[in-house]
Amino acid sequence: MAEEETQQRTVTIDGTEYKIDEMSENARQQLINLRVADQEIARLNRQLAITRTARQAYARALQGELGKSQ
């Protein structure tokens, strides 16, 4: 039997460890929802970093163009 199968999955929330297999179906669904929301936040943070980098490049390009016209 694989080690994963013998270990019970747990999650720690606010410093308290819970056994996932002992949670109600609704609690497990909320945990899934929470994980999906965390993944979406991480994705949006990556997208925001990309967008901020692009904005900086556009600002530098604009400064370069404005400097040419003087």
Side-chain angles (χ1 to χ4, degrees):
M1 191 178 286
E3 186 176 328
E4 289 179 7
E5 293 174 13
T6 59
Q7 290 181 346
Q8 192 162 31
R9 300 178 310 157
T10 61
V11 63
T12 302
I13 301 171
D14 295 331
T16 303
E17 190 171 277
Y18 299 92
K19 294 178 181 178
I20 295 173
D21 294 341
E22 293 178 3
M23 290 179 167
S24 69
E25 183 61 33
N26 188 41
R28 283 193 298 271
Q29 186 59 50
Q30 296 309 318
L31 180 60
I32 290 168
N33 293 342
L34 184 62
R35 287 176 173 169
V36 168
D38 285 343
Q39 290 170 353
E40 182 65 6
I41 288 168
R43 186 191 70 79
L44 290 168
N45 281 331
R46 288 189 302 272
Q47 188 64 38
L48 183 57
I50 291 166
T51 304
R52 284 183 173 153
T53 300
R55 186 189 185 284
Q56 289 173 347
Y58 297 144
R60 283 192 302 273
L62 176 59
Q63 286 174 340
E65 287 299 314
L66 294 175
K68 289 179 184 178
S69 63
Q70 295 179 358

